[in-house]
Amino acid sequence: MQTDTMMTIDPDLSWQEDALCAQAGPEFFFPAPGASTREAKQLCGACEGRVACLEYALAHDERFGVWGGLSEKERYRLRRDSEA
């Protein structure tokens, strides 16, 4: 019996293939409490996958780090405002 060894990419994560964050370390997007998120947000702003990343973070309730150019607090406000 032959098995397919190719891994299929979850369509929900396909945006990660070309994401600019893959070129930076996780500490860039998950800074220490109180540290600046400005540089991570700038990188996100230039990334073609930013919208998909943000949608993923909102759909999966990501509570830490910068996703789609928004911090935890910004995503919380966005989610709260969209429910109102």
Side-chain angles (χ1 to χ4, degrees):
M1 174 158 79
Q2 184 178 11
T3 60
D4 186 11
T5 57
M6 298 250 332
M7 304 231 11
T8 57
I9 297 172
D10 182 345
D12 201 26
L13 301 176
S14 62
W15 54 269
Q16 290 182 345
E17 287 182 37
D18 298 319
L20 295 178
C21 59
Q23 300 171 23
E27 65 280 351
F28 198 71
F29 295 92
F30 296 90
S36 175
T37 58
R38 183 185 57 201
E39 292 175 341
K41 290 178 180 182
Q42 286 176 338
L43 190 62
C44 289
C47 184
E48 292 180 15
R50 187 185 68 77
V51 173
C53 177
L54 179 57
E55 290 173 351
Y56 174 86
L58 294 171
H60 293 88
D61 198 25
E62 290 290 347
R63 298 192 182 200
F64 301 101
V66 175
W67 290 80
L70 298 182
S71 69
E72 300 97 336
K73 290 179 184 179
E74 292 166 329
R75 289 192 309 276
Y76 173 78
R77 281 194 295 265
L78 180 65
R79 193 177 303 114
R80 183 191 66 210
D81 293 347
S82 69
E83 292 173 356

